[in-house]
Amino acid sequence: MRNFSFLILIALMLTVGPASLWAHGGSHDAPATIKEETTLPELPEETVERDTTRPGVVDYGMDDSIESLGMEEVVGDGPLWGENQEVLPLNEPPLDADKMAGHEGHDMSNMKHVEPAEHQWVATSQKGYGWAAALTVLSGLVFGFLTFKRPCE
Amino acid sequence: MPNGLLQTVKDRLGFGALEYEVPEHSNSFKYSLGGMTLCAFSLLVVSGILLAQFYVPDPDRANSSVHYLVDQVWLGWFLRGIHFWSGDVLSITLLLHMIRVAFTGSYKAPREINWYVGVGLLVMMIGLLFTGTVLKWDQEAYEALAHFTWVADGMGILGLPLTERFAQGVPLLNRIYMWHISLLPLLTVPLIGLHLFFIKHHKLSPLPDQSTDAKPIRFTNHLAYLTRAGAGIFLLICLLALTIAPPLGEPPVAGMEVTKPPWQFVWLYALENLWVPFLVVAPLLGILFLLAVPIIDRGPETHWKKRPVATWVLIACIVLSVALILWGKFTTMTHSM
């Protein structure tokens, strides 16, 4: 059992302050909210400030009748999207990867509001939460049995 | 009768070959970190296969397919959590494994080649982690890919296969998906096999201060220990997946940089802040340094007290890495050129 105290340590490391310590998001001093260029099309509010914590709000585009997810209104064209010009806008400047990755003053002239994603607590209303909890308890029981009985060790 | 049946099964399947002797210290936390890493990798493979059933590797639909999985598919959120946290746990056990090997001088003769295989596995894991980060296709993913293409461009002709220009008209996301689920696993699995083969061939490295008449145990005893360790790893990952949802943003907006990379890459982000070409230089220097370790430190001594230079270099590397990670996480980046 003593050997597995590291598991508790790792659990603490990964859980304490997940949004701050292990968050995969971050921000700069400069606010992420940037004025849009006037030449850009008007963006639907939903596309840039969607609440992902509420299931059912997001249009997943899984309906065949939906040709695209409106990404042509949200994202820019550029090399990372391939050359599918049919669904990409022509009025938005292409992503200049060199310029962007080169960080030449963080060109923010063409920016919209983007919230960096962060860790969130899992809602108990998620589909199958009870089953997931049961599986976790079961794995705990298996680990407990192996730890106390030590079969074949 | 059950014992007879068990013996028959063991005979037919050749399980008796697993009864060979290994050192007693095999059944310790320090010397089981590699096995724990393998457990986490196995979880990644299984959960990854399931995740792939729901993923659409198209820039227009990739992000929404992940949202759909998380919000609408039964246990989809849990599956994604298992995959994500397996990657994080693997990163930690892998790093601890590397530190243990370096601390005990286990890279020394005759195990140099296995150290190189391990370095290869490290590169594969970094590649898998990076490509996995890109697949969710949110802002963080997009920015990571933009940095990647910048690095690939900086590598000239060597980086060409990693850029969009290599296969024009094919979104890089499609190819990265192929690397993640096909190319990199195909390279990783043989390397794992080779790693295990060399461990068997050269035997587990002895304790630095071990006497020659150490008591051996059977390998099946070690497998039982690893099974328990694997169960612990699985429990930890389940607990994490049950409580903390991995980050998932909205579809990316081109031309912005508002996110930071995952903690495994944030040290590079911090270095980039000092000097942007570090993005290319630092990983190369890191790999070269790891490859040079068995060549530079060739003495027979493995106890850390008796090789102070190696020990201090190891400690310096750990401190530097932690400092860079904390710096990258908690400070504001300016990216001055």
Side-chain angles (χ1 to χ4, degrees):
Chain A
M1 191 66 183
R2 187 184 57 201
N3 283 341
F4 289 92
S5 58
F6 81 99
L7 289 175
I8 300 168
L9 180 64
I10 291 177
L12 283 173
M13 288 168 62
L14 294 173
T15 52
V16 173
S20 59
L21 185 57
W22 300 105
H24 288 212
S27 61
H28 301 269
D29 272 349
T33 306
I34 308 298
K35 280 190 286 187
E36 293 182 25
E37 275 189 351
T38 52
T39 55
L40 288 175
E42 188 82 12
L43 288 177
E45 189 74 15
E46 186 268 336
T47 56
V48 292
E49 290 188 334
R50 242 171 355 199
D51 183 1
T52 58
T53 61
R54 289 181 292 120
V57 174
V58 181
D59 175 9
Y60 302 105
M62 306 311 276
D63 187 340
D64 289 342
S65 64
I66 300 173
E67 286 298 320
S68 74
L69 301 169
M71 281 195 60
E72 62 273 22
E73 297 173 349
V74 179
V75 300
D77 56 356
L80 303 185
W81 265 267
E83 296 180 350
N84 187 1
Q85 297 300 326
E86 290 181 2
V87 296
L88 294 175
L90 298 175
N91 59 344
E92 197 161 357
L95 166 72
D96 187 340
D98 288 343
K99 188 175 182 181
M100 176 181 162
H103 312 288
E104 292 180 358
H106 275 217
D107 180 16
M108 294 183 171
S109 60
N110 187 30
M111 292 185 178
K112 306 171 187 71
H113 179 70
V114 173
E115 285 292 331
E118 293 188 349
H119 288 280
Q120 292 176 338
W121 297 110
V122 172
T124 54
S125 58
Q126 288 278 26
K127 289 189 175 182
Y129 188 87
W131 283 90
L135 181 63
T136 305
V137 170
L138 182 63
S139 64
L141 290 173
V142 170
F143 178 63
F145 171 79
L146 293 174
T147 299
F148 289 109
K149 290 292 183 184
R150 307 276 180 106
C152 300
E153 282 188 42
Chain B
M1 194 61 183
N3 284 341
L5 180 64
L6 193 64
Q7 189 60 44
T8 303
V9 171
K10 283 174 69 173
D11 291 343
R12 297 299 182 272
L13 296 179
F15 285 164
L18 299 175
E19 297 286 346
Y20 62 89
E21 292 182 344
V22 295
E24 189 180 22
H25 65 268
S26 303
N27 278 9
S28 65
F29 167 62
K30 284 184 298 186
Y31 283 83
S32 298
L33 285 163
M36 294 177 201
T37 306
L38 185 57
C39 288
F41 181 75
S42 304
L43 267 176
L44 277 166
V45 171
V46 173
S47 56
I49 289 171
L50 293 171
L51 283 175
Q53 311 306 313
F54 301 93
Y55 183 69
V56 183
D58 180 90
D60 283 339
R61 303 183 72 158
N63 180 268
S64 57
S65 71
V66 182
H67 274 290
Y68 182 83
L69 169 85
V70 169
D71 291 338
Q72 300 297 324
V73 175
W74 186 73
L75 279 180
W77 60 274
F78 190 61
L79 185 62
R80 181 166 182 263
I82 292 278
H83 197 70
F84 174 87
W85 290 113
S86 295
D88 269 16
V89 169
L90 180 144
S91 302
I92 291 173
T93 55
L94 187 147
L95 288 173
L96 291 176
H97 177 59
M98 277 184 64
I99 291 170
R100 197 280 298 166
V101 170
F103 191 71
T104 57
S106 299
Y107 50 77
K108 295 191 173 189
R111 298 180 178 83
E112 303 98 321
I113 301 299
N114 213 16
W115 171 262
Y116 292 139
V117 174
V119 173
L121 280 169
L122 173 68
V123 173
M124 290 299 114
M125 291 305 143
I126 291 171
L128 284 163
L129 186 65
F130 172 78
T131 52
T133 300
V134 171
L135 292 184
K136 59 182 176 163
W137 204 235
D138 58 3
Q139 192 64 31
E140 178 193 77
Y142 182 80
E143 291 176 21
L145 188 54
H147 281 73
F148 175 78
T149 54
W150 187 83
V151 171
D153 284 338
M155 292 166 65
I157 191 73
L158 290 175
L160 181 62
L162 306 175
T163 65
E164 190 99 23
R165 284 176 288 128
F166 183 76
Q168 291 189 11
V170 180
L172 201 48
L173 181 66
N174 295 51
R175 291 172 56 213
I176 281 183
Y177 178 62
M178 188 280 289
W179 299 345
H180 188 73
I181 68 163
S182 176
L183 179 64
L184 292 173
L186 279 174
L187 295 172
T188 300
V189 171
L191 283 176
I192 291 174
L194 206 55
H195 206 55
L196 295 175
F197 166 76
F198 279 123
I199 294 171
K200 173 77 165 63
H201 181 67
H202 293 303
K203 297 183 172 51
L204 193 72
S205 57
L207 290 172
D209 53 354
Q210 186 179 33
S211 58
T212 53
D213 55 348
K215 179 185 162 192
I217 59 172
R218 287 179 301 173
F219 181 66
T220 46
N221 300 136
H222 181 51
L223 279 182
Y225 182 88
L226 285 182
T227 302
R228 183 158 62 95
I233 292 285
F234 184 65
L235 172 62
L236 172 66
I237 290 168
C238 281
L239 283 170
L240 289 166
L242 190 69
T243 50
I244 306 170
L248 177 61
E250 297 304 308
V253 177
M256 292 188 73
E257 185 169 356
V258 296
T259 69
K260 291 180 181 179
W263 65 269
Q264 295 95 331
F265 295 108
V266 83
W267 62 275
L268 195 55
Y269 178 83
L271 284 175
E272 177 196 2
N273 195 42
L274 292 176
W275 186 46
V276 174
F278 263 138
L279 272 176
V280 182
V281 176
L284 287 176
L285 285 179
I287 298 299
L288 286 175
F289 172 74
L290 289 174
L291 294 176
V293 165
I295 299 169
I296 297 170
D297 186 16
R298 300 173 66 179
E301 193 54 64
T302 56
H303 197 282
W304 65 273
K305 283 183 179 174
K306 296 174 181 172
R307 44 191 196 99
V309 175
T311 302
W312 278 112
V313 168
L314 174 62
I315 291 171
C317 287
I318 294 170
V319 170
L320 180 65
S321 301
V322 172
L324 285 174
I325 288 173
L326 293 176
W327 185 35
K329 273 293 176 193
F330 294 114
T331 62
T332 301
M333 293 293 143
T334 58
H335 293 300
S336 56
M337 293 283 289

